[in-house]
Amino acid sequence: MWIYDKKLEYPVKIKNPNPALAKLIISQLGGPDGELGAATRYLQQRYSMPYAQVKGILTDIGTEELAHIEMVSAILYQLTRNLSECDIKKSGFDAYFIDHTTGVYPQAASGVPFSAGTLQVTGDTLADLYEDLAAEQKARLTYDNILRLADDPDVRDPIKFLRERELVHFQRFGEAFPPKCNGRSRATNNARI
Amino acid sequence: MCDRQRLLKQVRMYHFALVDVGLYLDGHPNCPKALAYYQKYRKLYLEAVAAYESQFGPLTMMANDDPDRWTWSDDPWPWEMEA
């Protein structure tokens, strides 16, 4: 089970609202390579993972992704504070506003709602781990694209932190190859396929 | 029931009592009866966690206090029959 910690993993304090930028960053919440998909992917891949050490990695990275959902959502919340009608119209935030006001809804920058169709749980150790490596790279490049378009240092700072974490997760998943049998694993009993 | 499962049952029982009364306190933050209940079970919960972890390893990643070995990722994981 999970226990909620009343803190962000890394602070988010954005002085200037910017709804146009929120429209782009929202992809890291509910887009094809966003944090909601990442958390769902890793946490759901655990059950068919036969190796104790990799169950640990999936649990811990999946848990950290839940914290990243919260950080991205905090960025979106702060970027859409105190908007006037004029801000909403001029920034192009109006289409989103019609459906969600300033609620934080998981969707891609293109407006497509979050879909589990963006992720896989194959039940195959190698296929799942290779997908996880690719997923970390795709999330990293999405953060790179956000950094190309975002000037505000208050936004860039937490985005850079999140980008770094993608690199660390990629490294940790890479170290899981070949799947680790050290540690107290019952892999030999469970891996019948 | 083995010792591990008996201790885990206590942790789970006290934890659930806290989850449940915590939800109630969210909506009734000044209820003295619920506050007293929370205090009572918080103490029992912390004792049960300490008893479990001293024998059977960490329940959370931050509780791994073995200086020689990382026991956090050891089997069994909670969804397994052996847990």
Side-chain angles (χ1 to χ4, degrees), chain A residues 106-164:
Chain A
Q107 67 169 45
S110 62
V112 177
F114 173 72
S115 165
T118 59
L119 59 94
Q120 247 290 30
V121 180
T122 66
D124 181 283
T125 302
L126 291 176
D128 279 355
L129 283 172
Y130 279 115
E131 158 150 339
D132 300 345
L133 288 167
E136 295 295 336
Q137 288 301 323
K138 290 189 285 180
R140 187 269 306 157
L141 80 86
T142 311
Y143 282 121
D144 279 339
N145 287 340
I146 290 169
L147 288 167
R148 285 188 174 108
L149 301 179
D151 299 328
D152 183 349
D154 290 352
V155 176
R156 292 177 62 85
D157 184 48
I159 293 289
K160 282 183 192 164
F161 173 85
L162 290 165
R163 181 189 176 280
E164 283 291 326

Side-chain angles (χ1 to χ4, degrees), chain A residues 1-3 46-57 59-60 183-187 189-190, chain B residues 12 15-16 19 45 59-62 66 69-80 82-83:
Chain A
M1 79 173 293
W2 273 263
I3 299 170
R46 297 181 302 158
Y47 304 96
S48 45
M49 183 53 65
Y51 303 101
Q53 203 166 330
V54 190
K55 284 178 241 181
I57 290 171
T59 299
D60 295 339
R184 289 177 194 160
S185 177
R186 292 194 175 79
N189 299 331
N190 293 344
Chain B
R12 190 180 284 131
H15 189 262
F16 180 70
V19 166
Y45 167 72
L59 284 165
T60 64
M61 192 215 265
M62 309 300 167
D66 185 335
R69 200 176 154 272
W70 184 250
T71 55
W72 166 241
S73 50
D74 285 353
D75 277 335
W77 282 82
W79 54 89
E80 294 167 331
E82 297 86 347

Side-chain angles (χ1 to χ4, degrees), chain B residues 8-73:
Chain B
L8 190 59
K9 188 180 172 186
Q10 284 195 345
V11 171
R12 190 180 284 131
M13 190 170 72
Y14 295 138
H15 189 262
F16 180 70
L18 291 176
V19 166
D20 195 40
V21 76
L23 281 185
Y24 179 81
L25 280 162
D26 284 346
H28 308 78
N30 302 310
C31 172
K33 221 171 140 185
L35 285 167
Y37 182 96
Y38 174 84
Q39 287 302 331
K40 177 182 165 189
Y41 282 96
R42 178 173 179 273
K43 188 167 172 287
L44 291 168
Y45 167 72
L46 293 173
E47 286 167 5
V49 167
Y52 179 93
E53 288 182 332
S54 68
Q55 283 189 65
F56 301 109
L59 284 165
T60 64
M61 192 215 265
M62 309 300 167
N64 197 108
D65 65 353
D66 185 335
D68 302 318
R69 200 176 154 272
W70 184 250
T71 55
W72 166 241
S73 50

